[in-house]
Amino acid sequence: MADGSDTTLTAEHSDQAPSGLVAGLRSFAAGHGGAKAVIEYVGKRGARIVLVGEDGAWGDQFADDTVVARQACATAGVAVENAWERELMDQMRPSNDLWRSMARRTMAR
């Protein structure tokens, strides 16, 4: 038996993130006075990029995986936070529509 495996599974990534994803990140940042991002792994679906604008607005985008998400943020000039820090969460300002939709979900249980 061989000591190691000669077949290694590696993920191949292109050098560039999808232009539509980068454009969406840039657009959000420009419309909200800048933005920070937190990248969340969501399994086979890929990675969710949660954006928090300087004005407290927030939104999200999806990427194929965390590597693509980081590349897109770097290309768009959006800083990536390593985790949900208290200061970033305090900056978020959910809209009234979001509060209403969350209330409906709670009431429906």
Side-chain angles (χ1 to χ4, degrees):
M1 285 209 119
D3 289 334
S5 173
D6 60 353
T7 58
T8 304
L9 295 176
T10 58
E12 293 184 25
H13 300 284
S14 66
D15 290 341
Q16 294 183 345
S19 60
L21 178 59
V22 173
L25 297 173
R26 282 185 180 149
S27 174
F28 182 89
H32 298 282
K36 293 180 182 175
V38 176
I39 298 172
E40 301 173 337
Y41 175 71
V42 290
K44 290 182 180 181
R45 185 161 184 206
R48 179 181 185 203
I49 305 168
V50 182
L51 299 161
V52 180
E54 291 297 320
D55 62 356
W58 63 281
D60 62 359
Q61 298 275 334
F62 279 88
D64 291 338
D65 59 33
T66 57
V67 173
V68 171
R70 287 189 181 281
Q71 287 175 345
C73 288
T75 304
V78 174
V80 176
E81 298 289 323
N82 289 325
W84 284 104
E85 299 293 333
R86 181 183 193 99
E87 293 81 19
L88 187 60
M89 291 180 70
D90 286 346
Q91 186 176 337
M92 293 178 76
R93 300 287 175 243
S95 69
N96 289 335
D97 292 336
L98 179 62
W99 284 117
R100 279 192 289 275
S101 73
M102 288 190 295
R104 282 192 299 270
R105 283 187 222 138
T106 303
M107 299 279 211
R109 292 183 187 176

